Amino acid sequence: MKEFYRRLSEKDRRRYAAVESDKLGHGGQQYIAQLFEIDSKTIRQGLADLDIAEEATGDKLRKKAVGGSVSST
């Protein structure tokens, strides 16, 4: 992961870090920030970048978290 991260452009690094932290859920931002030796603000900016890209294209890039329980019928 680190080698791949280093080969990306700055913008793609932010987005990649955001995607990886999002996949991890709670504590993911802190873990990825430490792993890639970046500030957690960089990850938050990457998440914002992804949201802007999603709005521009209309395509869902990240899966939104869903709360609550699932009932069976």
Side-chain angles (χ1 to χ4, degrees), residues 34-51:
Q34 289 176 341
L35 179 69
F36 293 146
E37 299 174 355
I38 58 174
D39 195 292
S40 59
K41 292 178 191 175
T42 303
I43 296 172
R44 287 194 295 275
Q45 180 60 51
L47 291 169
D49 290 348
L50 292 174
D51 287 340

Side-chain angles (χ1 to χ4, degrees), residues 2-73:
K2 286 182 176 183
E3 186 61 34
F4 177 70
Y5 175 82
R6 281 190 275 266
R7 293 177 184 264
L8 297 173
S9 69
E10 182 178 343
K11 184 177 184 179
D12 288 338
R13 284 180 184 186
R14 282 196 310 266
R15 291 177 173 191
Y16 179 63
V19 167
E20 290 299 329
S21 72
D22 200 42
K23 288 191 321 189
L24 294 174
H26 181 73
Q29 282 189 17
Q30 182 180 359
Y31 176 78
I32 294 297
Q34 289 176 341
L35 179 69
F36 293 146
E37 299 174 355
I38 58 174
D39 195 292
S40 59
K41 292 178 191 175
T42 303
I43 296 172
R44 287 194 295 275
Q45 180 60 51
L47 291 169
D49 290 348
L50 292 174
D51 287 340
I52 290 168
E54 176 183 315
E55 291 171 6
T57 63
D59 295 332
K60 195 166 219 143
L61 298 175
R62 296 189 307 127
K63 188 177 2 175
K64 300 286 184 187
V66 178
S69 61
V70 176
S71 62
S72 59
T73 54

